[in-house]
Amino acid sequence: MKRRARLIGPEDERRFDAFIAGHPKGHFLQSYGWGEVKATTGWRPLRLVLEEGDRIVAAASLLKRRLPYIGRSILYAPRGPVVDFHNGELFDELLKAIDDVARQEGAILLKIDPDIPDEDEAVKGMLCAKGFRLANKGEGFEGVQPRHVFRLDITPQPEELLARMHGKTRYNIRLAQKKGVVIKDDCTLDDLPVFYELLKETTLRDRFLVRSYSYFVTMWREMVERGYAKLFLAYYQGEAIAGTLAFIMGDKAWYLYGASGNRHRNVMPNYLLQWAMILWARERGCTLYDFRGVPGKLDEDNPLYGLYRFKKGFGGVFTTFIGEYDRVYSPFYYWLWQSAIPLYSRGFRRLLFWRKKAREGAAAEA
């Protein structure tokens, strides 16, 4: 049967998400709702399907972004596209459809970072043969999505999962329970400000940036209300001391956001939160729990070692993906985007920074 490719709209959202959820390489970042979330940050989502009759056989949620100064755009398929990469004919048809969309949208490149393990040399070779080039060779968090994660098979019974954990991790889960930490897993939108305040406290302590509150409200409406995400809060003596956001798609779950206050960290709420999310994922029929990013290479002196040790303690398997691959449509603009524009942008931001400092200095003198 002949296949056809087309861009879809909201009327096909349920069919699209059902395909993503049921595919072995489906990911919440390829869901319809996630595209709506990213639409609030300057991206335009384009959902492409390849159909055989009335059945979707491959798909891609493409995020389009206009580039400054040059009037062109880029396409990015986060953890996509969703297709059997070992089926050459199917992949070729989907890629041709994406190429057509790229041409219509004036894209200079297509960036992908699929959920393919790094040891899959066949897929890496196929991508290179199709004109893709490895874009990110970093070992840390340099990519758009983390290249290294811990993944846990959660099909065993809870008692066995606990037994497979590092002794200290198991001890800290039980310590939190013994100390009276309570997990609230029926959170509503009214609880989101509590989580966000904890998140701001975390970012100040650990020195990283946080998105606006409105971004998380959008995430709530597009993902939590669709049933693809859930908020968990940990309380101690009536006070919210930590929180997490977990995402789910099909038989997989992901830990995406975590926050903790500066008080009562000694009662180990983060360990109990992870355990609560793992149990929730099992109850929802998941077989895999993804702890998301960790550094690739580090020693105990690295400031990120604590994050690595925390996630490793739950007994997951360290997994490395193949990384980011770019399919270049315009070599000149691609070079410009990688080289000249970043240099110009950094210089422009530096100029704005010093102008701001000068204004602040003038205001202080006044």
Side-chain angles (χ1 to χ4, degrees):
M1 183 180 295
K2 187 176 181 180
R3 303 183 184 111
R4 67 163 183 161
R6 65 185 180 95
L7 292 171
I8 64 163
E11 68 280 0
D12 285 307
E13 175 188 337
R14 290 191 177 183
R15 285 184 68 235
F16 184 83
D17 279 351
F19 172 76
I20 302 299
H23 197 280
K25 293 303 177 184
H27 199 286
F28 79 92
L29 293 177
Q30 281 287 292
S31 69
Y32 198 98
W34 190 255
E36 296 299 291
V37 173
K38 302 310 291 183
T40 66
T41 65
W43 295 91
R44 177 188 165 207
L46 301 164
R47 289 88 174 192
L48 179 68
V49 297
L50 185 64
E51 295 173 312
E52 197 172 82
D54 59 356
R55 185 171 64 96
I56 299 175
V57 294
S61 178
L62 303 167
L63 300 178
K64 173 191 171 183
R65 194 177 194 101
R66 295 282 292 179
L67 296 174
Y69 320 121
I70 63 175
R72 302 292 292 272
S73 65
I74 61 173
L75 292 181
Y76 172 44
R79 284 292 187 251
V82 182
V83 63
D84 180 357
F85 280 79
H86 294 96
N87 184 329
E89 180 184 347
L90 196 61
F91 182 81
D92 283 347
E93 288 192 44
L94 181 64
L95 185 58
K96 180 183 180 302
I98 294 175
D99 289 347
D100 290 341
V101 172
R103 185 165 49 253
Q104 294 164 10
E105 300 295 335
I108 66 171
L109 70 97
L110 164 69
K111 181 179 289 291
I112 67 172
D113 48 17
D115 183 346
I116 302 292
D118 191 53
E119 59 267 22
D120 195 331
E121 297 296 334
V123 170
K124 290 194 286 188
M126 180 271 293
L127 289 175
C128 290
K130 301 297 181 186
F132 284 87
R133 61 181 72 177
L134 183 61
N136 175 40
K137 301 177 182 179
E139 290 296 333
F141 290 94
E142 294 90 347
V144 183
Q145 304 300 331
R147 188 171 181 184
H148 313 283
V149 302
F150 275 108
R151 287 183 147 183
L152 179 65
D153 174 8
I154 57 174
T155 56
Q157 292 300 309
E159 296 77 15
E160 187 175 347
L161 288 173
L162 282 168
R164 293 180 180 183
M165 293 179 189
H166 189 279
K168 187 66 174 178
T169 300
R170 190 167 53 249
Y171 172 83
N172 285 337
I173 291 171
R174 290 170 174 163
L175 175 67
Q177 293 172 326
K178 182 179 179 181
K179 291 290 185 180
V181 175
V182 176
I183 303 300
K184 181 177 182 179
D185 61 2
D186 58 351
C187 297
T188 67
L189 184 57
D190 292 337
D191 295 296
L192 190 59
V194 177
F195 173 74
Y196 192 71
E197 287 303 312
L198 289 168
L199 191 58
K200 288 196 296 184
E201 198 168 338
T202 303
T203 60
L204 285 174
R205 182 181 64 241
D206 297 340
R207 299 180 180 179
F208 62 89
L209 299 176
V210 62
R211 291 187 180 273
S212 68
Y213 178 70
S214 62
Y215 179 81
F216 286 89
V217 172
T218 301
M219 192 181 298
W220 186 280
R221 289 173 177 161
E222 301 296 345
M223 298 300 288
V224 176
E225 291 182 4
R226 278 178 165 89
Y228 299 142
K230 189 176 181 65
L231 174 64
F232 295 78
L233 289 172
Y235 281 82
Y236 178 65
Q237 297 178 348
E239 177 185 349
I241 59 173
T244 51
L245 265 171
F247 287 71
I248 190 170
M249 201 76 195
D251 61 356
K252 297 180 284 292
W254 296 263
Y255 160 50
L256 191 61
Y257 285 99
S260 61
N262 296 323
R263 288 163 48 83
H264 307 302
R265 299 178 72 188
N266 60 311
V267 298
M268 303 299 170
N270 296 319
Y271 288 87
L272 191 57
L273 278 166
Q274 291 294 330
W275 181 232
M277 290 191 294
I278 290 169
L279 294 179
W280 166 74
R282 288 188 82 259
E283 291 168 1
R284 289 284 302 271
C286 291
T287 61
L288 184 71
Y289 183 89
D290 192 320
F291 289 87
R292 292 277 286 177
V294 291
K297 293 180 180 179
L298 76 171
D299 53 40
E300 295 187 13
D301 295 327
N302 191 297
L304 293 174
Y305 182 74
L307 174 70
Y308 177 91
R309 183 178 58 189
F310 171 72
K311 294 183 178 182
K312 182 177 187 292
F314 288 88
V317 176
F318 182 80
T319 303
T320 299
F321 300 116
I322 61 174
E324 296 175 10
Y325 279 79
D326 289 349
R327 181 169 172 82
V328 178
Y329 300 115
S330 174
F332 171 73
Y333 281 115
Y334 183 72
W335 169 84
L336 198 65
W337 176 68
Q338 285 196 310
S339 306
I341 290 178
L343 287 173
Y344 180 85
S345 298
R346 283 196 294 270
F348 185 65
R349 288 195 298 268
R350 193 176 297 114
L351 176 62
L352 291 179
F353 172 79
W354 286 112
R355 282 182 176 176
K356 180 175 182 291
K357 296 297 288 184
R359 286 196 301 268
E360 291 172 351
E365 291 173 3

